[in-house]
């Protein structure tokens, strides 16, 4: 087997050169980090589940006309995507206060926001992803005003769609993070949705119990992260085929009780 050229290794994914020009292979790792990689760990099977969840969400977003980098899933941990020039911004959409906004502004977690908020953070590990205003984005040329209009319009459409998609499976979409990239056609470029959408970059709370079904379980040492990610995949109807593991039977009751038990004993 010929070795593929690795282009980049991130915290949760590795990017390899794709089979055709303009394509890339995204490999989903089980590695998890939080607080700008100060906390590191693994969530067993996360890569497999995030690959499937992200495929599912990107395909559905494509159906409603959102342009995305997703081409097709290749195997359990890899997907083929379009190569983009990444826009160095993390676009966070919030419906309900949680995480950094609660800390920064002293709003209780779980408090619905008066309206949906979009925030921008500069993608920079060295600077720990500082929040930036649209003024900074224009001033330093990270994206043009036209691109920001497309980005904010897409972020709102993604939010509307995902709120409905998750509500249908009894999950409340608290907030999430998106990344966008440019694709060039001669002198012209357009912005498309890139990266991934998964419980790594969304806050997902069970509508009834309020249980967290996302990476906050890892960030906050709540335990049960594998089960939470599997639960999201199961509710989306994407866990029960061959790729979820040979002979694996999903036992909801067992997972539910694990979710409630809280932190795992430290080894
Ligand atoms: P925050 O409350 O920590 O700012 O996070 C808001 C949302 O963005 C939450 O769903 C988690 C996601 N997120 C990422 O995907 N990557 C990050 O580096 C951070 C800080 C947040
Ligand atoms: N993944 C991010 C990091 O480690 C942070 C997070 O998702 O909370 O930088």
């Amino acid at each position: 087997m010929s070795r593929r050229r690795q282009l980049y290794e991130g915290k949760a994914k590795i990017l390899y050169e794709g089979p055709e020009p303009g394509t890339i292979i995204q490999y989903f790792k089980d590695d998890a980090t939080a607080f700008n990689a100060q906390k590191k760990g693994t969530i067993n099977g996360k890569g497999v589940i995030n690959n499937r969840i992200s495929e599912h969400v990107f395909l559905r977003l494509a159906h409603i006309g959102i342009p995305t980098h997703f081409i097709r899933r290749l195997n359990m941990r890899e997907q083929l995507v379009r190569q983009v020039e990444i826009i160095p911004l993390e676009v966070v959409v919030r419906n309900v206060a949680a995480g950094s906004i609660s800390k920064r502004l002293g709003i209780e977690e779980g408090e619905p926001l008066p309206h949906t908020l979009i925030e921008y953070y500069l993608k920079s590990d060295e600077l720990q992803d500082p929040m930036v205003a649209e003024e900074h984005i224009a001033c330093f040329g990270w994206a043009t005003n036209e691109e920001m209009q497309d980005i904010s319009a897409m972020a709102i459409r993604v939010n509307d769609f995902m709120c409905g998609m998750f509500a249908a499976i009894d999950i409340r979409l608290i907030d999430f993070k998106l990344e966008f990239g440019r694709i060039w056609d001669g002198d012209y470029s357009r912005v498309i949705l890139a990266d991934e959408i998964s419980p790594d970059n969304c806050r997902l709370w069970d509508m009834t119990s309020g249980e967290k079904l996302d990476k906050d379980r890892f960030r906050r040492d709540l335990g049960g992260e594998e089960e939470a990610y599997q639960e999201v995949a199961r509710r989306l109807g994407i866990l029960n085929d061959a790729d979820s593991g040979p002979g694996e039977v999903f036992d909801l009751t067992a997972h539910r009780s694990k979710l409630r038990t809280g932190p795992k004993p430290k080894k």
Side-chain angles (χ1 to χ4, degrees):
M1 205 177 89
S2 64
R3 293 279 300 157
R4 293 172 308 189
R5 196 157 74 90
Q6 183 177 315
L7 301 174
Y8 173 79
E9 175 153 13
K11 285 174 283 201
K13 292 188 290 293
I14 305 175
L15 303 182
Y16 296 98
E17 203 169 57
E20 292 130 38
T23 64
I24 277 195
I25 294 168
Q26 272 201 148
Y27 175 96
F28 288 74
K29 302 193 280 187
D30 284 349
D31 297 356
T33 62
F35 317 118
N36 295 299
Q38 285 173 48
K39 179 181 165 92
K40 288 190 178 133
T42 19
I43 302 176
N44 283 330
K46 171 173 87 80
V48 175
I49 291 183
N50 282 359
N51 187 19
R52 297 296 306 270
I53 292 178
S54 203
E55 171 195 25
H56 181 86
V57 177
F58 273 67
L59 282 175
R60 296 190 66 177
L61 290 173
H63 281 149
I64 61 154
I66 305 281
T68 86
H69 73 160
F70 183 83
I71 302 173
R72 66 175 180 276
R73 187 167 59 84
L74 298 171
N75 54 49
M76 280 170 72
R77 285 188 184 269
E78 293 177 331
Q79 48 182 246
L80 186 68
V81 299
R82 296 186 70 167
Q83 184 162 28
V84 298
E85 182 182 295
I86 202 81
I87 293 173
L89 297 173
E90 302 205 340
V91 179
V92 169
V93 181
R94 299 184 190 270
N95 299 304
V96 175
S100 69
I101 196 173
S102 290
K103 263 207 194 120
R104 200 179 325 116
L105 303 180
I107 310 171
E108 198 178 336
E109 287 212 319
E111 184 81 31
L113 295 168
H115 63 77
T116 299
L117 276 178
I118 307 185
E119 297 173 342
Y120 304 103
Y121 295 83
L122 180 65
K123 253 174 88 72
S124 163
D125 283 341
E126 308 87 80
L127 301 175
Q128 294 166 21
D129 298 350
M131 185 152 100
V132 293
E134 287 192 63
E135 288 277 294
H136 298 108
I137 298 169
C139 180
F140 297 109
W142 296 317
T144 66
N145 287 336
E146 293 72 38
E147 287 173 332
M148 289 312 290
Q149 274 173 25
D150 289 348
I151 286 173
S152 56
M154 277 193 260
I156 292 297
R157 288 195 69 205
V158 170
N159 183 52
D160 287 345
F161 179 80
M162 291 219 300
C163 277
M165 181 184 78
F166 283 117
I169 53 170
D170 221 29
I171 289 176
R172 200 168 164 212
L173 178 61
I174 305 300
D175 58 31
F176 58 94
K177 186 259 299 184
L178 300 175
E179 292 187 25
F180 293 87
R182 280 180 202 105
I183 46 172
W184 287 91
D185 183 5
D187 286 344
Y188 294 93
S189 70
R190 68 188 179 105
V191 174
I192 67 175
L193 185 64
D195 193 46
E196 69 175 281
I197 297 179
S198 72
D200 265 14
N201 49 31
C202 300
R203 282 198 176 90
L204 304 169
W205 294 1
D206 182 273
M207 199 83 87
T208 322
S209 67
E211 217 152 41
K212 296 184 198 318
L213 300 173
D214 58 62
K215 200 168 128 187
D216 270 349
R217 300 203 76 84
F218 168 78
R219 294 188 189 99
R220 303 178 185 195
D221 292 319
L222 299 174
E225 41 273 66
E226 288 95 351
E227 294 78 12
Y229 280 58
Q230 281 173 23
E231 177 67 5
V232 174
R234 188 195 65 80
R235 289 194 200 179
L236 287 169
I238 54 181
L239 198 78
N240 291 324
D241 67 14
D243 280 347
S244 65
E248 195 176 303
V249 177
F250 189 82
D251 180 351
L252 176 61
T253 333
H255 287 296
R256 282 249 163 90
S257 61
K258 258 191 171 170
L259 275 178
R260 290 215 183 85
T261 53
K264 274 189 232 156
K266 291 252 169 358
K267 283 190 199 121

